[in-house]
Amino acid sequence: MDKYIHTPLKEEEIAELKAGDFVFITGTIYTARDAAHKRMYEALRKKEELPIELKNNIIYYMGPSPAKEGQVIGSAGPTTSSRMDKYTPELIDLGLKGMIGKGRRSDQVREAIIKRKAVYFAAIGGAGALLSKCIISSQVIAYEDLGTEAIRKLEVKNFPVIVVIDSEGNNLY
Amino acid sequence: MREVDISEITKEIKEMCIQANYVLSSDMQTKLEDAVQKEESSLGIKILKQLEENLKIAESEQIPICQDTGMTVIFIKIGQEVHIINGDLEEGIQKGVREGYQEGYLRKSVVNDPILRENTKDNTPAVIHYEIIKGDKIEITVAPKGFGSENMSRIFMLKPADGIEGVKEAVLTSVREAGPNACPPMVIGVGIGGTFEKCALLAKKALTRDLNKSFSYPYPYIKELEEELLKKINELGIGPGGLGGTQTAFAVNIETYPTHIAGLPVAVNICCHVNRHITRII
Ligand code: SF4
């Protein structure tokens, strides 16, 4: 079933998303992949504030290719989510509601998703050129020195994803 | 002796890095078209059509097919009658990669050390495999390799008694575990025989096979094994994007080499649907 949602996510909206649904996301989402997750994890250990507001928001596991002149962003498809599994339950506990990536998640992530009523989406791996067309603005907002792995704030319009793990823990894979 | 200027090699490698990341070779495009025809799941067809659309956008708008523009793997076969002039070969190759990734707006995905992990910011060094061959030509293959699928690759040191059934089990286990993580439909490169490192290299080389050309199999069983494995892999149900379907792999390419009386090494190098490879001859 095709559904349209806006960020920040609302609890009632999340509850309606079921594994297997096609969802089009509009609004602000944040990118973070391996190195940014490691830094956020270290910041939390030092009781420092995180550079992004997690509450009711979505993190997209993605590191784009560089934008050419006149482009918003380069190729921008998902990376493998399981590498973020170690860090994810803590972020979900802090209010993160959605994740976009590709591939399987650990049992711990699935449990955190159920406990906090979050949702895990997959975008199509290897369709970075196509997906870049749904990104209308991109701005690096933290960890700029990490290059492609910096945290970006993206405005997306009808960004296509599929619900893989819904808030009840149903898993599409 | 034929003289080849190093700048010519640099220029070719630069262009090949860019081209490989923007346009998929025609053999892979054909495989994708075939898969759309063969796929039985409607969700699978939908995903495959989006992958076709992605290729079109990448080519027409010059956006990399995938944001992971890979670690650059280069096979270079140098005829023994060639004399390379005006520079160092290794440096000339790395320079081509550096310029290609910069000028082509390709992602820089290489870190200087596996533990210290500082980005080298120009995607070098590439992984280079040199080979000396007969003649006075240089054959270069550039194959940028994404790590979503690389990470799902495996090596098995089987026993001779495990035989062909052991090989099948090894390949199927690897593909099952790779599942949605490796961006299916995949291409499976399999190396059988040799030593620990030789079978891995064979598996990598197998991924660069041009599927539009006929391949000369040293033994008929290899072709049969490829066909049987492809059928079994497509029966696993992983499907495009890992969301279910009959098109889990485009091809299984197997390369073999003689081995030791005590061993049966098997390497399974998994590649995603963005199986980039270009070959040019200088
Ligand atoms: S596995 Fe391949 S298609 Fe998937 S993200 Fe990596 S390079 Fe792209």
Side-chain angles (χ1 to χ4, degrees):
Chain A
M1 204 175 144
D2 286 6
K3 289 179 179 163
Y4 293 81
I5 59 170
H6 286 79
T7 61
L9 299 175
K10 290 183 208 70
E11 251 167 59
E12 319 82 74
E13 252 175 6
I14 296 173
E16 276 175 25
L17 301 175
K18 300 289 169 228
D21 284 349
F22 265 80
V23 179
F24 296 90
I25 302 172
T26 297
T28 304
I29 63 174
Y30 297 93
T31 70
R33 44 171 295 154
D34 309 56
H37 272 78
K38 184 159 180 273
R39 276 211 195 159
M40 287 197 281
Y41 177 82
E42 283 160 3
L44 289 169
R45 297 288 79 70
K46 287 187 240 151
K47 305 254 182 285
E48 287 168 10
E49 219 172 289
L50 294 183
I52 51 175
E53 170 64 49
L54 292 175
K55 203 158 181 284
N56 298 332
N57 274 322
I58 296 179
I59 289 183
Y60 180 21
Y61 305 138
M62 191 275 288
S65 64
K68 290 181 185 168
E69 209 128 324
Q71 284 178 342
V72 170
I73 199 163
S75 196
T79 195
T80 309
S81 309
S82 58
R83 296 192 314 272
M84 270 49 81
D85 283 355
K86 177 181 164 191
Y87 310 112
T88 301
E90 186 175 12
L91 300 183
I92 293 178
D93 278 342
L94 290 170
L96 178 69
K97 282 290 184 212
M99 296 137 277
I100 307 170
K102 66 171 168 99
R104 302 185 186 104
R105 305 306 307 255
S106 66
D107 290 342
Q108 289 85 338
V109 171
R110 187 171 157 267
E111 279 157 24
I113 287 174
I114 301 171
K115 190 169 108 203
R116 301 280 178 189
K117 299 283 166 226
V119 55
Y120 169 54
F121 304 102
I124 301 173
L130 180 82
L131 292 170
S132 75
K133 299 274 130 197
C134 307
I135 299 173
I136 50 184
S137 83
S138 163
Q139 188 195 353
V140 172
I141 55 162
Y143 310 151
E144 193 167 2
D145 60 299
L146 295 179
T148 184
E149 294 206 65
I151 294 186
R152 287 173 171 78
K153 183 179 176 186
L154 306 179
E155 293 302 325
V156 296
K157 195 168 173 210
N158 291 332
F159 188 89
V161 295
I162 298 146
V163 178
V164 171
I165 304 177
D166 63 29
S167 55
E168 285 171 354
N170 301 306
N171 193 338
L172 182 60
Y173 289 141
Chain B
M1 261 312 175
R2 174 175 165 241
E3 290 192 338
V4 174
D5 196 288
I6 187 68
S7 63
E8 206 178 324
I9 296 173
T10 301
K11 182 175 147 278
E12 292 292 342
I13 287 183
K14 171 178 129 180
E15 288 173 9
M16 290 162 89
C17 288
I18 297 175
Q19 197 195 327
N21 276 299
Y22 284 77
V23 187
L24 212 50
S25 53
S26 67
D27 59 334
M28 296 310 304
Q29 297 209 26
T30 310
K31 286 285 168 195
L32 182 54
E33 284 161 24
D34 289 352
V36 178
Q37 299 306 319
K38 287 193 223 146
E39 179 57 63
E40 288 167 22
S41 128
S42 58
L43 179 54
I45 295 173
K46 194 165 167 178
I47 306 280
L48 292 170
K49 288 199 167 151
Q50 296 200 340
L51 296 181
E52 285 192 313
E53 177 71 18
N54 185 61
L55 290 184
K56 281 196 201 113
I57 295 175
E59 185 167 358
S60 66
E61 302 194 24
Q62 294 285 292
I63 302 171
I65 303 163
C66 181
Q67 74 291 335
D68 183 356
T69 51
M71 185 161 196
T72 322
V73 177
I74 296 176
F75 290 93
I76 180 161
K77 294 182 188 169
I78 304 166
Q80 61 186 21
E81 309 296 330
V82 175
H83 178 205
I84 293 161
I85 55 165
N86 290 331
D88 179 78
L89 176 60
E90 166 94 20
E91 180 40 40
I93 295 172
Q94 303 291 9
K95 186 166 177 241
V97 172
R98 190 178 300 124
E99 291 179 356
Y101 274 70
Q102 245 136 23
E103 291 175 32
Y105 290 84
L106 305 177
R107 198 179 77 180
K108 322 302 181 286
S109 313
V110 174
V111 291
N112 65 338
D113 178 274
I115 301 301
L116 305 175
R117 309 197 74 83
E118 201 180 306
N119 198 303
T120 62
K121 300 207 164 76
D122 60 9
N123 222 53
T124 66
V127 173
I128 308 169
H129 303 292
Y130 297 95
E131 210 178 308
I132 304 293
I133 56 168
K134 278 189 281 197
D136 64 357
K137 301 266 189 296
I138 300 177
E139 185 190 299
I140 306 171
T141 298
V142 172
K145 185 65 173 75
F147 259 57
S149 50
E150 192 74 352
N151 280 338
M152 305 316 287
S153 303
R154 302 268 307 269
I155 284 193
F156 303 80
M157 298 305 281
L158 300 182
K159 296 177 184 65
D162 294 328
I164 197 161
E165 291 307 318
V167 173
K168 290 180 200 167
E169 193 47 44
V171 174
L172 291 173
T173 301
S174 308
V175 174
R176 213 179 284 122
E177 284 175 10
N181 293 25
C183 294
M186 316 172 207
V187 177
I188 317 296
V190 183
I192 311 175
T195 47
F196 182 74
E197 85 289 5
K198 178 70 180 179
C199 72
L201 194 53
L202 290 172
K204 176 71 78 209
K205 212 170 123 213
L207 288 177
T208 68
R209 188 186 296 172
D210 182 344
L211 299 173
N212 283 343
K213 288 192 187 143
S214 67
F215 183 73
S216 59
Y217 292 91
Y219 300 102
Y221 85 86
I222 301 171
K223 185 164 191 278
E224 287 158 23
L225 183 58
E226 286 181 354
E227 285 164 2
E228 183 186 340
L229 280 171
L230 181 61
K231 188 165 169 280
K232 290 209 162 110
I233 287 169
N234 285 336
E235 283 165 4
L236 292 175
I238 296 167
L243 300 168
T246 60
Q247 301 301 302
T248 300
F250 290 141
V252 177
N253 302 340
I254 301 176
E255 304 254 337
T256 58
Y257 196 79
T259 191
H260 188 276
I261 47 173
L264 173 49
V266 179
V268 184
N269 197 183
I270 293 186
C271 193
C272 49
H273 58 86
V274 191
N275 181 23
R276 294 158 283 207
H277 53 86
I278 309 187
T279 300
R280 284 190 193 171
I281 294 171
I282 301 179

